[in-house]
Amino acid sequence: MKHYLLPLLLAVCTLGAHAQETTNVVTVDVSKKAIAKATPIQPTMYGIFFEDINFAADGGLYAELLKNRSFEFTPDHLMGWQAFGRVEVRDDGPFPRNPHYVRLSSMHHRDMWTGLQNEGFFGIGLHKDVDYRFSVWARVPDGGTSRLWIQFVDQNTMDEHQEFANADLTIQGSEWKKYTVTLRSPRTIDHAQLRLFLVDDHRRSGSVTTDLEHVSLFPVDTWQGHENGLRRDVAQALYDLHPGVFRFPGGCIVEGTTLQQRYQWKNSVGPVEDRPINKNRWENTFTYRYYAAYFQSYGLGFYEYFLLAEEIGAEPLPVLSVGLACQFQNDDEAAHAPATKEGLQSFIDDCNDLIEFANGDTTTTWGALRAQMGHPAPFGLKFLAIGNEQWEQPYYDRLAIIAPEVRRLHPEIKLIGTSGPNAEDDKFRHGWDAMRRLGADLVDEHYYRDINWFRNSMDRYDNYDRKGPRVFAGEWACHDRGHKYNHAGASIYEAAFMTNLERNADIVHMATYAPLFAHVDGWQWRPDLIWYDNLHTARTASYYVQQLYMNNRGTHVLPTTLSQPTPNGEDGLFASAVLDKDENHIIVKLINTSDQPRQCQLLFKGQKSADNTPRSATVTTLDLSTYEAENTPGQPEQVSPVTTTLTLTDGTLTLPAKTFKVVVLDR
Ligand code: AHR
């Protein structure tokens, strides 16, 4: 930070046993001139990035509780199910893109049973006195009536009865129909199972052949009450961030281990029963964290992503394939779509059709589908990323073909390119050069780096080229190996690094921490912003860092200087300030990454000196001083912010070791 000569006499700080005699005066320029010239902060400045990694969609945010509901998993169509009696998998079902279903038939013995049991995702989590909607598409192929006896069970109980809730469902006639019944759970349990028996009217072993397809179980109370909905506590954690931008659906899953296996958004819209499932690319990555039944049901698809973006107040930012299968996993040019107009036509169509799906009026093909799905009004898409984390010529060649075709039809959409997987190597530099040449509006940078990297990168954006594309820090996090969840010791550097993003808001227009979610029983990658088990959610230390920035984003950057600056914040003190024109607030972020307390004095340059006398401030403190402290689903509040109101006498305030403070004052 630049040195600023102080016009006022300021107190000398005493810093304890190892203290240096220094005066840490944080000067925030609030003069009329500074405010007139202040850099606007984009509403998209801080946001979230969703990828279906770590069981983020099925088994996570998406509230479906049954695994393999459509019997489409491979190689075994009954993965996730235990079948008993006479159960046959057939493939001429009512949903052409998910053709498999099961036929349950009689065992012809009163004490022999036919049925199915589903294990859920790492068990089924149920809450006491909460209603769950069971639904199934079913028919009696030979006509007539049959009955299912549906149960919640705890297979591991020592109780006499495993079953603790049940309902009957009558199936009638030879046409496929959807049947629904609600079960209330009388207990809270994190690893239950769903069991169903084929029965007769007296719950004896059933003898009428019955076909079942798309067997599903949702809590009735989902986020915003949508039937094909999201887990309320998990979505609430997103809402509480107030993110400015929402990037989806990945990540490497946009690319796929093979091109065929990439995320194809057109498969994720329309009736949920007929969205063809896809293998999750994250099954194929780490053999040391292997989950053989990791599929994408696409129940959480592009319509649901747009809807969620709207409901949490974030700009939607879809990422689409550029015709390259994951470059980490494929060296052969033949793995990718040919870099010709013909070879990439379907990728061009995917981009333009997606814009129509989001923004087109209801007379257009894709706009009509959006309306049919429940949202006639456009979603107001403004950004589109083409390619996830691509690099070098294979990427530039393909982007050079796709981007102009999108711009030709949609000059209103800002296009985002990428600088590859690293933060500063040749790939990165070439990527930036290429994005400049190709006229990308923003460049998506990725950096998962350790504490040392963050310590040395606190000025990363200070000297960036101001003339080219803007920066989207699309995936970043401070890593510190060996920690299970996400701990305070790393998060303090994220807080400090974000002052760098904030004071460079003229060039940095978006930043999203990654990954967003992880299931404690099914993760492949850590750290992650939000963890959960089947019942509880944990907002991590990093979550609270992000939240403090997102909820105190402000509208304009205020020039801020330290009286004793060190080139890279070696003394551990970091500060940035913003003006919130709408609320008429000045917001100062102060971070102390050192092991010693620091005493600061806030000075507001350009205000009458009387205004620097005692004034009331709201101060939120995130104590990150216990290195190992981490929030887990069992102990979610080890680290959390505390807000107080206090009077700042002559602007002086103590910043304890490893602490992040946000100070909000009336202007
Ligand atoms: O966030 C996990 C992965 O990291 C993303 O899928 C990819 O873009 C990056 O390599």
Side-chain angles (χ1 to χ4, degrees):
M1 289 197 181
K2 283 175 211 141
H3 181 78
Y4 181 73
L5 288 175
L6 284 171
L8 298 175
L9 181 65
L10 297 159
V12 174
C13 304
T14 306
L15 301 176
H18 306 287
Q20 336 152 227
E21 289 255 316
T22 183
T23 304
N24 290 309
V25 180
V26 179
T27 303
V28 181
D29 192 347
V30 291
S31 63
K32 272 197 187 139
K33 198 168 146 205
I35 288 176
K37 286 200 312 194
T39 302
I41 299 170
Q42 300 301 311
T44 53
M45 180 71 180
Y46 308 114
I48 52 176
F49 160 51
F50 178 91
E51 172 165 28
D52 188 0
I53 184 172
N54 304 320
F55 286 83
D58 299 280
L61 177 61
Y62 186 48
E64 172 64 80
L65 292 165
L66 302 188
K67 188 198 276 182
N68 190 14
R69 64 187 176 188
S70 298
F71 307 101
E72 297 298 334
F73 283 19
T74 51
D76 174 4
H77 287 276
L78 287 175
M79 270 164 133
W81 296 95
Q82 277 177 17
F84 46 92
R86 284 183 64 202
V87 177
E88 178 196 358
V89 177
R90 299 169 66 95
D91 65 2
D92 58 343
F95 306 114
R97 302 202 293 179
N98 283 327
H100 294 88
Y101 64 97
V102 287
R103 173 159 291 180
L104 311 189
S105 310
S106 173
M107 289 297 286
H108 303 296
H109 189 293
R110 66 165 190 251
D111 278 337
M112 293 174 82
W113 300 86
T114 288
L116 288 166
Q117 183 170 311
N118 193 282
E119 66 192 32
F121 299 91
F122 318 105
I124 297 173
L126 301 170
H127 292 272
K128 185 173 184 322
D129 297 335
V130 165
D131 289 335
Y132 295 86
R133 187 187 301 109
F134 171 89
S135 67
V136 60
W137 283 80
R139 68 174 179 181
V140 180
D142 302 324
T145 299
S146 105
R147 186 170 282 216
L148 301 175
W149 184 20
I150 298 142
Q151 304 181 342
F152 289 158
V153 299
D154 177 3
Q155 205 169 247
N156 301 319
T157 185
M158 287 295 284
D159 293 354
E160 198 68 27
H161 293 262
Q162 296 172 326
E163 171 271 310
F164 56 89
N166 70 74
D168 293 315
L169 196 60
T170 302
I171 314 296
Q172 264 172 332
S174 58
E175 296 298 316
W176 284 103
K177 279 184 288 211
K178 183 175 175 179
Y179 296 84
T180 303
V181 66
T182 300
L183 288 87
R184 176 164 294 191
S185 177
R187 66 169 77 151
T188 294
I189 174 168
D190 55 357
H191 291 91
Q193 297 83 34
L194 179 115
R195 187 179 288 161
L196 59 87
F197 291 100
L198 181 67
V199 293
D200 68 9
D201 288 352
H202 305 284
R203 288 185 173 169
R204 289 178 305 229
S205 180
S207 58
V208 181
T209 298
T210 306
D211 293 341
L212 307 180
E213 162 68 307
H214 199 89
V215 189
S216 170
L217 182 73
F218 272 83
V220 172
D221 182 25
T222 55
W223 165 255
Q224 301 287 322
H226 302 301
E227 202 163 302
N228 181 51
L230 307 180
R231 208 174 116 171
R232 181 182 278 285
D233 59 332
V234 180
Q236 186 69 43
L238 299 184
Y239 178 82
D240 291 346
L241 285 169
H242 301 303
V245 66
F246 175 34
R247 177 180 181 239
F248 59 87
C252 294
I253 66 163
V254 167
E255 306 155 45
T257 301
T258 65
L259 205 55
Q260 187 53 35
Q261 217 186 69
R262 73 189 186 280
Y263 195 111
Q264 300 192 48
W265 74 266
K266 287 173 180 167
N267 288 343
S268 80
V269 294
V272 74
E273 296 85 351
D274 205 23
R275 301 181 189 175
I277 67 152
N278 194 11
K279 191 85 176 161
N280 190 301
R281 177 246 189 257
W282 288 105
E283 184 197 313
N284 298 324
T285 312
F286 305 124
T287 45
Y288 55 88
R289 299 284 310 172
Y290 197 78
Y291 297 92
Y294 198 179
F295 287 78
Q296 299 169 84
S297 73
Y298 289 141
L300 169 52
F302 265 52
Y303 176 82
E304 290 76 21
Y305 288 129
F306 279 117
L307 198 59
L308 178 62
E310 184 172 272
E311 289 168 351
I312 59 178
E315 290 293 345
L317 196 178
V319 188
L320 294 188
S321 166
V322 72
L324 290 170
C326 178
Q327 287 173 280
F328 283 116
Q329 296 181 317
N330 296 279
D331 302 323
D332 186 357
E333 178 65 23
H336 312 301
T340 60
K341 176 89 186 305
E342 301 66 50
L344 293 169
Q345 190 57 51
S346 68
F347 296 85
I348 295 168
D349 294 345
D350 276 357
C351 293
N352 287 328
D353 292 345
L354 181 66
I355 297 167
E356 185 177 295
F357 179 72
N359 295 351
D361 70 46
T362 55
T363 60
T364 63
T365 308
W366 291 101
L369 176 60
R370 183 193 68 239
Q372 205 181 310
M373 291 182 74
H375 202 286
F379 281 120
L381 178 67
K382 300 188 182 108
F383 303 96
L384 178 65
I386 307 177
N388 165 47
E389 196 179 67
Q390 265 64 63
W391 60 79
E392 299 294 4
Q393 216 51 46
Y395 177 44
Y396 316 147
D397 289 347
R398 287 166 176 82
L399 190 63
I401 294 169
I402 299 177
E405 293 300 312
V406 180
R407 283 210 191 285
R408 194 164 59 78
L409 295 189
H410 294 288
E412 75 284 6
I413 299 291
K414 286 202 186 329
L415 296 185
I416 301 178
T418 148
S419 54
N422 298 317
E424 57 264 299
D425 64 352
D426 279 348
K427 281 189 186 124
F428 173 84
R429 278 185 289 278
H430 297 163
W432 261 96
D433 290 345
M435 293 311 110
R436 281 191 197 94
R437 275 198 314 276
L438 294 171
D441 294 294
L442 291 106
V443 176
D444 179 8
E445 298 187 346
H446 293 180
Y447 37 92
Y448 299 100
R449 289 292 186 270
D450 64 16
I451 287 177
N452 270 338
W453 185 90
F454 275 89
R455 273 204 192 107
N456 295 323
S457 302
M458 294 298 178
D459 59 350
R460 178 175 175 85
Y461 295 110
D462 289 351
N463 298 310
Y464 253 50
D465 171 10
R466 264 43 205 180
K467 291 189 227 73
R470 308 290 97 176
V471 174
F472 171 27
E475 293 184 31
W476 72 276
C478 181
H479 281 206
D480 191 18
R481 283 197 179 275
H483 292 269
K484 180 154 188 218
Y485 294 93
N486 182 317
H487 61 294
S491 306
I492 189 72
Y493 294 97
E494 291 165 355
F497 181 75
M498 289 178 82
T499 59
N500 177 239
L501 303 179
E502 187 163 278
R503 72 172 175 273
N504 288 294
D506 61 323
I507 178 88
V508 182
H509 282 195
M510 299 177 181
T512 55
Y513 180 99
L516 185 58
F517 290 130
H519 193 297
V520 294
D521 295 326
W523 59 271
Q524 298 87 47
W525 182 296
R526 64 186 180 185
D528 306 284
L529 201 66
I530 298 165
W531 287 78
Y532 41 74
D533 58 21
N534 284 344
L535 296 174
H536 316 96
T537 309
R539 302 172 180 201
T540 62
S542 295
Y543 173 96
Y544 288 119
V545 168
Q546 293 295 319
Q547 189 181 46
L548 286 175
Y549 273 90
M550 288 192 216
N551 291 355
N552 295 284
R553 172 175 50 82
T555 54
H556 293 80
V557 184
L558 292 172
T560 304
T561 53
L562 297 184
S563 60
Q564 298 290 325
T566 48
N568 228 338
E570 285 81 355
D571 67 346
L573 185 67
F574 298 86
S576 63
V578 297
L579 171 71
D580 189 326
K581 267 199 178 156
D582 305 330
E583 300 291 330
N584 214 20
H585 284 158
I586 297 167
I587 304 170
V588 186
K589 284 143 191 138
L590 296 166
I591 297 98
N592 177 9
T593 62
S594 80
D595 298 330
Q596 300 297 323
R598 297 279 190 253
Q599 205 170 3
C600 304
Q601 186 177 29
L602 292 180
L603 180 73
F604 297 99
K605 183 188 163 198
Q607 285 193 338
K608 290 186 210 109
S609 56
D611 291 342
N612 268 323
T613 52
R615 59 196 295 191
S616 168
T618 305
V619 180
T620 303
T621 303
L622 187 61
D623 175 356
L624 298 167
S625 59
T626 307
Y627 192 88
E628 302 287 342
E630 58 185 14
N631 293 338
T632 67
Q635 291 193 302
E637 295 294 323
Q638 296 297 296
V639 179
S640 62
V642 176
T643 301
T644 52
T645 305
L646 50 85
T647 301
L648 285 180
T649 316
D650 78 353
T652 301
L653 121 154
T654 301
L655 208 54
K658 307 269 184 199
T659 296
F660 174 22
K661 274 189 196 288
V662 179
V663 183
V664 182
L665 306 109
D666 287 333
R667 194 174 151 199

